[in-house]
Each structure stands twice: as C-alpha cells, then as structure tokens.
Amino acid sequence: MIHILNGLKFLLLSAALLLYSSCGPELSAVSGASALVALDGLEKTIEDITNELDYVYNKSANNTAVHIKAIIYDLRYSIDKVLDKGSEVLTKQQADLLDNIIAATEEFDELSRERVEDFQVLTNTIGQIVSDLPFTPNEARITKPEVSIYVRNYTESLSIKMAGYNLDHESNVLSINGEDIKPSNQTSTNIEFIIPDSLLQTTDNKIKFVQATQKLYFKKGWGPFSSKQEKALPIAIKILPKIIGTARIYYQVDELTRQPQTIVGTQCGIGTGGTDWRGKRRYANTSCTYNAPKKLLDGCGETQGIIVGSVGISVNANRHGGNHKVDNLTSTSFVLNVQAQSDSGPYKGGGLYVVTPTYKVEYPCEIEVEKRSDNAIPIEIGKDLAYDLNNKGEKNPRLKRVFIRFFDGTEVYLTNDERKKSLVTMSANASLEQVIIRPIEVPK
C-alpha cells in the first residue's frame, strides 16, 4: 500500500506547485479538489488493508480503521460544507490535517504488516488528530469508535458504540441491509446500537464483513434559519463462522525403532586342482567370517543385531559340485564354510565353488519420530482446544508445529517461535505435553 500513499503525496505536491503563487497567508497550497481525491484514495487504502485476513479480526486494528475513516469523513465534510463555496484551496489547518491523516494511514499499513499489537499507540495519535479537526457548534463528531465482531450462530446481537460530541439528535440511526436501527442508548457524548442477529446471518464463508452506515444528524445555524445536516460514516462489520477452522498438531517423540539394513557380504570361494592319472576326486575347503557392521546412531551408541533367518546365499560359481554351510550364527557374526570338489576320473578338471552371502542387520535405537494428531480438530469460538501430546503414552512428546486451515482456505503454522495470529493464540504447559489453542475472544 505504501506506493499508493506515495502517489497521493505526489498528487498533492503537484497541486501545491500549481497554486502556490496565488495563495494567501491563511490558505494552503493544496486545492480542495486534490484533497478530496486524496481522501478517496486513503479511504480505499484503509479498506484494502482491513480486508486482509491476517489481522482483519484484530479488534484494535478494526477500531483503528474505523477511527481513521471517521477522520477522513470529517475532513471531507469540512471541505465540502464548511469552506466557502468560492474557496478553491484548503486552509492551512485543513492541509495539515490531511498530512496527518496520510501519516496515520502509512503507520496503519506498517503496523498491519509488522506490529499488529501496537495499534493502541496509533489510536492515541489519532485522538490528537481528531482534536485538531475544524469543528462548528452543534456538529456531530465521533472521537472513539468501538465495533464488535459478530459470530454466526454464537453471538445473539452485536453492539456498536461511539463516543464523541452532539450525538443526541433524535434522527440518528444505523442503517444495515436496508433497515434503520434506532439507538439503544444515547447521550450527547455516547451512542450505542444493538444489531439483532437476523440482520447479520449469512451462510457464505467467503463473506468476511457486511457494510453498515452510521447516520448522524445535527443542526447548523440558529433559530428559524437552522438546517438539518447529515454525516454518514460507513462501518464494516466483521463476520465469523462459529467454527473458524481446523488444526492438526505435529509433534516429536522418542521411539524405539528398528531399521533393517540389508548387507551384501564379500564373495567366499575356493577351487581345487585337477585329478591325476589315478582319477581320485579332489576337495578343498575354506571358511569366511562375517561381522555385522557397527553403526553410530543418536541416543543408542554402537549396537547391531543380525536378524535370525535373514542369511541368504547366492552361488556365483559351481564347477563339478560343491556346497556351503552357515555356522556359528550369533547377533554379531556368522561363519560361512565353503567346499569345492573336482571332477572324478583320470586327468579331469579342477573344481570351483564361489558364493556371496546377504543378511539383514537391525539397529534397535531410540530416535526422534515425527507424529501428528489423527484428525484435523475443529477450532470453535468460545472454546479452548486442548490437545494432550502424550495421549498415547508416548515417550517425551515435544511440540513441533500446529497447522491451521481457516474457514476461508487461508493456512498458517504456529510454532514455539510464533504462537499468535489474529484469530488464534497457542500456549503449552511447562512440560510441553499439552497444547492449547485459544480462538479470538468474542462476547456473546
């Protein structure tokens, strides 16, 4: 959004350069037309920022957005209604206020992307801007808005409160979905509207807000020459479903696991010479010893074990017969005995017998294994989601992350380093064996 704001600044500066030579000491170098265009752009910027889900349901951010829009509307009213019709440029006070609104919008944009928790500081700044706005006697003015969040099938009604000045006109209403709602409480400095849930029901999970209009009336002038004036402040009412999303918990445990590894041993073979004139068969024997290789694993040191029954022999060469036999099989080694024999008969050829053993070795060891909750767990407004990491009696469970899919398809991860989003916060007990996901608090 910053590039949009910079464009608005350029627009105002260009207008100032064109008008500078004709301006008197009480006027600024900014035309009223340029200011109105800038205010429209600022309003659009605020709307675009507050439509981002990552902070759209942050109560402070929402009220700050309404507050800035209220100032924009007040300054627009001042330009449209208070200036003499013949004036083409703003007063210096109005131009300074426009600069302050641009600065507040820039800060709002920055906070929405980086430091959502600091919105209250900006709210205090906005309060000072409100106090500097041009103000005529009897004019209605909003100094502090408070707009709650509505949850379908959970919130019975929605309260909208406004603090300010001259808010006691009998015609004041809040208009929503074509219906005008009268105040439930009203004084000169405070006004409150209670919106029934029937006006806010929607089944479309993609709709994040509905538009309402705060209509404020006051009298301009005195006696028989007074006229009824209106201010209309648009308000975006945030809408949430009761089930705002689902969570799946990922965690690590120490688990005894066995990782079979197939070992291909070196060849073991023996040969014989040929027979002499007498033709007596000749034999030769050899033995080869095979040891399970040692492997260093985290948490279990050097350990190994040959799986019983896994030893297999592949015969690579067999001339004139021969055989093999596995002896002395233990968890760490075995011996392979190989015998070769020559052909029988005078001057017959020698024998050859070569084999290759294979066997499986397993490493019993406690290693870190990642697991997750069996199902995606609903996150419901008004209820904490508590998940026991040790619900299956697993050893030393440790949270890794929580994957959350919100109702509109947005996805986020919560970790030990980042435990908060605008809709949910995550906490854990001291041993990290229970994870608690707390949805945003919304009063009924």
Side-chain angles (χ1 to χ4, degrees):
M1 298 298 173
I2 290 296
H3 65 285
I4 298 177
L5 297 172
N6 287 336
L8 295 173
K9 286 181 175 179
F10 178 78
L11 170 68
L12 294 174
L13 180 59
S14 300
L17 292 174
L18 290 173
L19 295 169
Y20 180 75
S21 60
S22 62
C23 293
E26 297 300 324
L27 300 178
S28 73
V30 179
S31 72
S34 297
L36 290 175
V37 172
L39 289 173
D40 290 342
L42 291 171
E43 182 184 355
K44 180 62 166 56
T45 298
I46 293 296
E47 289 177 354
D48 289 344
I49 295 172
T50 53
N51 285 341
E52 295 296 328
L53 179 63
D54 189 40
Y55 51 86
V56 71
Y57 295 106
N58 179 284
K59 185 175 180 181
S60 294
N62 185 49
N63 286 329
T64 301
V66 175
H67 214 167
I68 294 177
K69 289 178 71 174
I71 297 173
I72 290 172
Y73 271 76
D74 271 337
L75 185 53
R76 182 186 284 117
Y77 177 86
S78 173
I79 294 171
D80 281 338
K81 303 291 185 180
V82 179
L83 282 180
D84 293 335
K85 296 300 182 182
S87 298
E88 294 183 353
V89 295
L90 304 186
T91 65
K92 186 176 184 305
Q93 181 189 24
Q94 290 169 327
D96 289 343
L97 286 168
L98 181 58
D99 287 341
N100 289 336
I101 294 173
I102 293 175
T105 305
E106 287 179 339
E107 186 174 354
F108 182 79
D109 183 29
E110 179 185 354
L111 291 177
S112 68
R113 289 179 288 108
E114 299 178 4
R115 305 191 314 278
V116 176
E117 66 277 3
D118 292 340
F119 271 115
Q120 186 56 47
V121 177
L122 177 56
T123 299
N124 297 336
T125 301
I126 294 172
Q128 180 60 46
I129 298 176
V130 172
S131 67
D132 292 339
L133 279 166
F135 192 69
T136 60
N138 300 323
E139 180 182 344
R141 169 68 47 83
I142 298 297
T143 59
K144 183 180 179 183
E146 185 176 333
V147 182
S148 300
I149 295 170
Y150 174 75
V151 179
R152 291 192 297 269
N153 303 316
Y154 174 82
T155 308
E156 296 178 356
S157 60
L158 180 71
S159 171
I160 293 181
K161 300 178 182 179
M162 301 285 176
Y165 304 105
N166 303 317
L167 303 178
D168 52 353
H169 197 282
E170 65 274 8
S171 298
N172 290 344
V173 293
L174 183 76
S175 180
I176 179 171
N177 290 335
E179 184 170 335
D180 289 341
I181 301 173
K182 292 185 176 296
S184 59
N185 291 294
Q186 184 177 15
T187 67
S188 63
T189 56
N190 290 279
I191 190 169
E192 179 179 5
F193 297 91
I194 302 297
I195 305 174
D197 58 0
S198 60
L199 294 178
L200 298 169
Q201 289 293 336
T202 174
T203 58
D204 187 352
N205 281 347
K206 294 182 180 179
I207 296 177
K208 301 174 189 175
F209 58 87
V210 294
Q211 292 289 350
T213 303
Q214 168 74 77
K215 297 179 180 179
L216 299 176
Y217 296 91
F218 61 96
K219 289 184 178 182
K220 182 179 181 181
W222 300 96
F225 303 103
S226 65
S227 60
K228 185 178 180 181
Q229 301 292 314
E230 175 186 337
K231 280 187 176 182
L233 172 63
I235 298 172
I237 299 174
K238 310 304 178 184
I239 304 291
L240 278 176
K242 190 176 182 180
I243 304 296
I244 60 173
T246 58
R248 192 180 285 274
I249 292 88
Y250 291 79
Y251 58 99
Q252 285 182 330
V253 296
D254 291 339
E255 185 172 281
L256 184 66
T257 185
R258 299 185 180 277
Q259 301 171 316
Q261 179 179 355
T262 299
I263 306 296
V264 179
T266 58
Q267 287 185 343
C268 185
I270 190 70
T272 70
T275 60
D276 57 16
W277 61 273
R278 288 178 295 219
K280 185 177 180 181
R281 191 185 298 271
R282 302 180 67 176
Y283 296 91
N285 298 280
T286 189
S287 296
C288 301
T289 300
Y290 297 90
N291 294 301
K294 292 184 177 182
K295 187 175 183 180
L296 186 65
L297 295 179
D298 292 340
C300 60
E302 293 183 349
T303 181
Q304 66 284 316
I306 297 175
I307 299 176
V308 177
S310 70
V311 179
I313 306 297
S314 298
V315 179
N316 306 109
N318 182 4
R319 189 167 69 231
H320 307 310
N323 57 63
H324 61 269
K325 183 181 179 181
V326 176
D327 284 329
N328 302 321
L329 176 61
T330 68
S331 63
T332 59
S333 65
F334 65 89
V335 175
L336 178 58
N337 296 313
V338 176
Q339 182 186 72
Q341 63 182 24
S342 68
D343 199 2
S344 61
Y347 302 108
K348 295 293 183 178
L352 177 66
Y353 194 83
V354 181
V355 297
T356 300
T358 61
Y359 55 100
K360 289 184 177 181
V361 175
E362 62 183 3
Y363 300 90
C365 179
E366 283 190 352
I367 63 172
E368 288 186 347
V369 176
E370 180 176 291
K371 296 194 173 185
R372 69 177 189 179
S373 55
D374 295 332
N375 301 298
I377 308 169
I379 304 174
E380 182 176 339
I381 293 292
K383 294 183 179 180
D384 287 351
L385 190 167
Y387 184 84
D388 292 326
L389 297 177
N390 61 353
N391 61 354
K392 297 179 181 178
E394 291 160 324
K395 186 175 181 181
N396 193 23
R398 300 175 300 281
L399 175 69
K400 285 195 69 176
R401 63 190 180 277
V402 175
F403 171 74
I404 297 177
R405 185 190 299 274
F406 289 118
F407 64 93
D408 69 341
T410 305
E411 299 174 349
V412 299
Y413 284 98
L414 297 179
T415 65
N416 284 315
D417 294 328
E418 186 174 6
R419 295 188 171 199
K420 186 175 182 180
K421 293 292 182 180
S422 63
L423 287 173
V424 293
T425 57
M426 181 184 72
S427 61
N429 64 11
S431 63
L432 297 182
E433 291 189 349
Q434 186 182 67
V435 177
I436 298 173
I437 299 172
R438 177 165 295 164
I440 183 174
E441 292 185 8
V442 179
K444 282 194 171 184

